[in-house]
Amino acid sequence: MNLFANIVSKFQVRAFIPLLFISIVFGLPQNMLGQQGSRIRTVVIDAGHGGKDPGALGKHSREKDITLAVALKVGRYIQQNLKDVKVIYTRTTDRFIPLYRRAEIANKNHADVFISIHCNSNPSSKPYGTETYVMGLSKSKANLGVAKAENAAILYEDNPRTSYDGFDINSPQSYINLSLFQNTYLAQSLNLAHLIENQVKYHLKRKARGVFQAGFLVLWRTTMPSVLVELGFLSNPNEEAFLLSQKGQIYLASAIYRAFKAYKQSFEKENALPRQPLPAKTKKASVSSVKTVVNQTVTSHTPGVEYRVQFYTGAHLYKSPFKKFPQVTNIKVYRSNGMYKYTSGHFTSINKAAQHQKAIQQLGYRDAFIVAFYQQKRISLNKARKLKLAGK
Ligand SMILES: [Zn+2]
């Protein structure tokens, strides 16, 4: 179920640009996504499989050996070139680590990014190329197949059913249940995943099959942006040779390293946006072109506490959100913590906002929630209530 794919709206560009402007210029408070700091300091590199679990087998290769070799190279490139980043490996030798334990390592170390490295396999020897996954419900049998193959690692564990809440790798319902744990960091995970695939496609000039979602147990409980990279197919003789070669491993490791570096830079740049109002001079100089529009909104805006229903968060700024969300009315966007937050409606009464929240949820945005603003700034609902009681 993709909550966003089949949803759409009406929307006023007039309201959109000014609010965006206000958000960028003045900055808005951090929100519930703000558990992460403003810098990427710790990355966990997870070499898939190991020990008694060889992973996929090629004619001349075992997945566990290639994932370890590439993982160690990725970590080394990061350590050599990004001195402010701490690299943690889930394993540095050929040993078995349960999937849940890998997520635990990332969570306990408060990692900012989790990168799991794997190799693909297919009954046919034809498919080749990289695939990068983020947690979610697979939209194709092929993607489900990849998740099932990777999740089969739990069959080497002693008590898989208790460790994974009764998860059954072959039950479709198990995968649906898993997708309910859609992570808070989906947009950021997708961002990193696309950067990896783009590195492969444009820098290595190799086949990048794209970014997909599927239910991977290793990503299930991570509490940070997380991706799983399939480096290539051991079932394809040419690709197997490439994956076994030093050159191939260096190429793929550097692609992941560069993608991580780009992700870190853009994340930190976005988070370095000013959060305090800028002096008036700077405002005029930097965005004079939208100034008239801004004035228009400021005057038309609710002066007191305003409630809106937030239904979507993403890394992308949609220039025409009414096309992206055609069923949703009165869309506004604000920016916080490097992400774009899309809201619908504006109300002075929280009860009216709650009615609207239900309507938005019925459109499929089940996680839609009410947010409050005061003088163009995001405030907590508690603060909004107090301001209302004070007659604001
Ligand atoms: Zn694997």
Side-chain angles (χ1 to χ4, degrees), residues 49 63 118-119 150:
H49 312 277
E63 181 182 358
H118 289 260
C119 299
E150 298 298 4

Side-chain angles (χ1 to χ4, degrees), residues 67-142:
T67 60
L68 181 60
V70 173
L72 292 174
K73 283 185 169 63
V74 175
R76 196 187 324 138
Y77 299 154
I78 294 173
Q79 280 168 329
Q80 284 169 352
N81 299 294
L82 303 170
K83 302 280 184 206
D84 58 333
V85 176
K86 183 177 171 191
V87 174
I88 293 168
Y89 300 97
T90 52
R91 68 182 179 99
T92 53
T93 56
D94 181 19
R95 66 190 184 107
F96 179 76
I97 317 268
L99 294 182
Y100 70 87
R101 177 72 193 125
R102 296 167 190 258
E104 247 174 41
I105 291 171
N107 295 346
K108 278 188 184 153
N109 285 286
H110 305 287
D112 299 301
V113 174
F114 180 83
I115 301 173
S116 189
I117 295 175
H118 289 260
C119 299
N120 231 328
S121 183
N122 195 282
S124 159
S125 63
K126 282 187 188 146
Y128 66 100
T130 59
E131 291 179 344
T132 303
Y133 285 86
V134 302
M135 186 66 186
L137 191 60
S138 48
K139 288 180 199 124
S140 79
K141 270 193 179 168

Side-chain angles (χ1 to χ4, degrees), residues 130-134 186-200 208 210-212 226-229 259 263:
T130 59
E131 291 179 344
T132 303
Y133 285 86
V134 302
L186 178 62
Q188 290 172 52
S189 303
L190 284 169
N191 231 353
L192 176 59
H194 282 289
L195 287 167
I196 292 171
E197 289 293 297
N198 284 345
Q199 276 293 334
V200 171
V211 173
F212 305 99
S226 305
V227 298
L228 184 146
V229 187
Y263 174 84

